Amino acid sequence: MSVFSFLRIEFSILGIVALTMIFPIFAAIAFGESGVVPAFAIPMAIFLILAVTFLLAGRKKKIALSTRSAFVVVAFAWIFCSLLGAIPFYFSGAIPNWTDAIWESVSGFSTTGATILSEVESIPNSINLWRTQTHWLGGMGIVALTVALFPLLGVGGFQLIKAETTGPEKGKVTPKITTTAKVLWLIYCGVTILGIISLKIAGMNFFDAVLHSFSTVGTGGFSNKNLSIGAYDSVAIDVVCTIFMFLCAINFSLYFYLLTRKFDDIRNNTELKAYLAICAVFILAITFINTNLYGGFFTSLRHSSFQIASIISTTGFSTSNYTMWPSAAQVFLFLLFFIGGCSGSTSGGIKVIRWVVMGKQTHNEFSKMLHPHGVFSIRLNGRAGRKDLVFNVASFLTLYFLLVVLTAIFGAAAGLDIQTALSGAATMVGNVGPAFGALNPSANCGFLPTALKWWYMFAMLAGRLELYTMIIFFVPDFWKK
């Protein structure tokens, strides 16, 4: 792929992200924040001009995209978009430190939701809108959005989406990948609108409902309240957020099957069954553990189910500081850091399907010990799974835990205590948001050393892009012809 073709694709993606800055501009005008408008308007104008220029300059050229080129395009698209997203934070004065501005943008697009801000209620409303909007754009995928809006400049969109989407198996719900991207984004928009309406009915004002719907559906966790969802102290809002966090950690392809009445595909989905079982077990366990703490079963159920939905979906909202819960409840929550939601959802983490595959393979190993001449295969969704899937999942898990351990070592070397270093590594790679120790839900990341912030930013992007897309650049074979 030529440099021109690379730039043409990248500026097209950046142009679409820049175009969405029109919404914070409208918000700035509506809230009388005229001083913030240039921080959005100038980068929006510059990148739209560049995008149109490159589109028109190569409109008759079809781009040939190899698998290697797809990794390069997607990885740099996320890096460039994170840099673009930091511009309004920095030039508005809301985050006057460039490293911190980039951190907030990376944390937003990767849907991690770990903020460096200690006082979010004092920054402009338009900036808070942009913070949550980065969640929404990153949740379903900025490359997928570009593919949905137009057949990416003649490029094989499926290669790009494979490098961006989550889960060990990448598929299409329609014959054409551009149609698949459009369908999933339309469903995503529909769920977002339902979230806004539900939160408005539950008692939020319209602006807050938009912000928190973006964060909930994108499973990001940024809020315009210092106390997150806990600031509202509302049962109705807690219930709405809990429901939508659970729903958005489910593979969005299943919502397409629901709309097209393919109920058997939903009923037979192995990952969905496992996800629901995990949620049910963890909710019951933590609810009973916390019953005495909250003085009753239903109050405990409210807070426990909310926090479980927040962690397993990797949203990161909080209604209370779970580090004050009994140790047994904290252990259950920490386990959820390493599970995550379903593949094809907006959540981060390892994904339920990978644990299902390893669980089934472990069962097969026991069966082989009892029946040495037997032939055993993994069955997913009522069908035999690919034979190489186990190796795929095993290598991913190995790489995942290696990155967590390496990140924990860097955190400890930077001066963090062992609890903060280990949970911080898990939350950054898993895109969860809050952690334990000094990174608990009541804290922020502003105190972290600069060097550690940059490593954490790499970990967040690597976790969002399922590791390989970012780490493959460090493999010597990647650079060989």
Side-chain angles (χ1 to χ4, degrees):
M1 184 174 59
S2 67
V3 173
F4 175 80
S5 297
F6 170 77
L7 292 175
R8 189 163 176 253
I9 296 173
E10 295 298 334
F11 278 117
S12 298
I13 296 171
L14 288 167
I16 290 173
V17 173
L19 184 61
T20 66
M21 290 182 178
I22 191 68
F23 299 110
I25 290 174
F26 287 151
I29 295 171
F31 286 104
E33 300 165 352
S34 57
V36 180
V37 171
F40 289 104
I42 294 173
M44 183 181 75
I46 291 172
F47 283 94
L48 281 178
I49 291 171
L50 288 170
V52 172
T53 300
F54 274 91
L55 277 171
L56 293 177
R59 63 184 182 278
K60 295 182 180 180
K61 295 181 181 179
K62 189 170 183 179
I63 301 172
L65 192 68
S66 65
T67 301
R68 188 177 312 193
S69 299
F71 283 118
V72 174
V73 167
V74 172
F76 277 92
W78 280 79
I79 293 170
F80 292 154
C81 284
S82 296
L83 294 174
L84 170 60
I87 293 174
F89 295 141
Y90 182 78
F91 285 104
S92 67
I95 306 178
N97 181 285
W98 186 236
T99 296
D100 286 348
I102 297 174
W103 169 285
E104 201 76 2
S105 182
V106 170
S107 184
F109 279 110
S110 66
T111 72
T112 304
T115 184
I116 52 83
L117 294 167
S118 59
E119 182 60 50
V120 297
E121 293 180 22
S122 64
I123 64 175
N125 288 302
S126 54
I127 294 295
N128 268 322
L129 174 59
W130 180 240
R131 290 173 72 235
T132 60
Q133 195 172 303
T134 58
H135 281 335
W136 192 76
L137 292 169
M140 187 58 69
I142 50 180
V143 174
L145 175 60
T146 307
V147 173
L149 292 178
F150 50 88
L152 196 64
L153 321 171
V155 171
F158 187 53
Q159 290 173 295
L160 296 177
I161 289 182
K162 279 177 64 179
E164 182 184 57
T165 52
T166 60
E169 294 189 288
K170 325 289 185 180
K172 297 182 283 188
V173 297
T174 63
K176 292 184 178 181
I177 191 62
T178 52
T179 306
T180 294
K182 288 175 184 176
V183 166
L184 293 179
W185 263 95
L186 284 172
I187 293 172
Y188 190 54
C189 291
V191 174
T192 303
I193 292 170
L194 283 176
I196 294 171
I197 294 171
S198 300
L199 288 171
K200 183 71 173 66
I201 293 172
M204 280 190 186
N205 63 55
F206 178 73
F207 183 73
D208 284 8
V210 171
L211 267 60
H212 288 91
S213 183
F214 281 174
S215 287
T216 303
V217 177
T219 61
F222 279 156
S223 172
N224 62 338
K225 302 295 182 183
N226 294 329
L227 297 178
S228 187
I229 299 297
Y232 296 95
D233 193 22
S234 165
V235 175
I237 289 174
D238 287 359
V239 170
V240 169
C241 287
T242 301
I243 291 172
F244 276 87
M245 286 188 290
F246 273 124
L247 292 177
C248 293
I250 294 173
N251 192 326
F252 272 74
S253 297
L254 297 184
Y255 296 122
F256 174 75
Y257 296 144
L258 181 66
L259 293 173
T260 53
R261 303 178 66 83
K262 295 180 179 179
F263 300 124
D264 287 341
D265 289 323
I266 300 174
R267 192 181 303 113
N268 295 328
N269 189 271
T270 305
E271 185 178 34
L272 177 62
K273 294 175 184 176
Y275 170 73
L276 295 176
I278 291 169
C279 290
V281 169
F282 275 70
I283 286 174
L284 287 174
I286 296 182
T287 297
F288 280 115
I289 292 170
N290 285 344
T291 297
N292 289 334
L293 177 68
Y294 286 107
F297 177 83
F298 289 105
T299 304
S300 177
L301 177 64
R302 167 192 168 187
H303 291 285
S304 300
S305 58
F306 180 96
Q307 205 58 64
I308 289 167
S310 179
I311 298 299
I312 197 169
S313 68
T314 70
T315 304
F317 279 148
S318 63
T319 54
S320 59
N321 189 344
Y322 55 71
T323 59
M324 304 302 292
W325 288 2
S327 296
Q330 292 185 50
V331 170
F332 273 104
L333 280 184
F334 187 61
L335 290 176
L336 289 177
F337 277 49
F338 296 98
I339 296 177
C342 300
S343 59
S345 69
T346 58
S347 63
I350 290 173
K351 304 295 182 300
V352 171
I353 189 61
R354 290 192 173 98
W355 290 117
V356 170
V357 169
M358 296 311 295
K360 286 179 175 288
Q361 181 60 25
T362 301
H363 179 268
N364 283 349
E365 292 301 322
F366 281 116
S367 298
K368 287 178 184 178
M369 294 174 67
L370 297 172
H371 308 283
H373 301 293
V375 178
F376 305 96
S377 63
I378 291 176
R379 295 188 65 80
L380 298 172
N381 305 334
R383 300 182 295 273
R386 291 188 351 248
K387 291 183 179 180
D388 65 331
L389 188 58
V390 175
F391 301 106
N392 178 297
V393 171
S395 63
F396 178 88
L397 288 174
T398 301
L399 187 60
Y400 190 95
F401 282 107
L402 280 175
L403 182 58
V404 170
V405 170
L406 186 60
T407 303
I409 292 172
F410 285 167
L416 301 182
D417 63 85
I418 185 63
Q419 184 186 39
T420 304
L422 182 56
S423 63
T427 197
M428 296 304 165
V429 178
N431 303 137
V432 179
F436 292 86
L439 294 174
N440 68 75
S442 299
N444 64 78
C445 300
F447 71 94
L448 295 173
T450 300
L452 185 59
K453 285 179 181 177
W454 283 102
W455 178 262
Y456 274 178
M457 283 188 261
F458 168 75
M460 285 189 275
L461 287 177
R464 171 58 183 83
L465 296 176
E466 298 271 90
L467 305 187
Y468 294 111
T469 302
M470 294 298 293
I471 296 178
I472 199 169
F473 297 107
F474 299 96
V475 178
D477 287 347
F478 179 83
W479 302 101
K480 295 178 181 179
K481 293 184 178 180

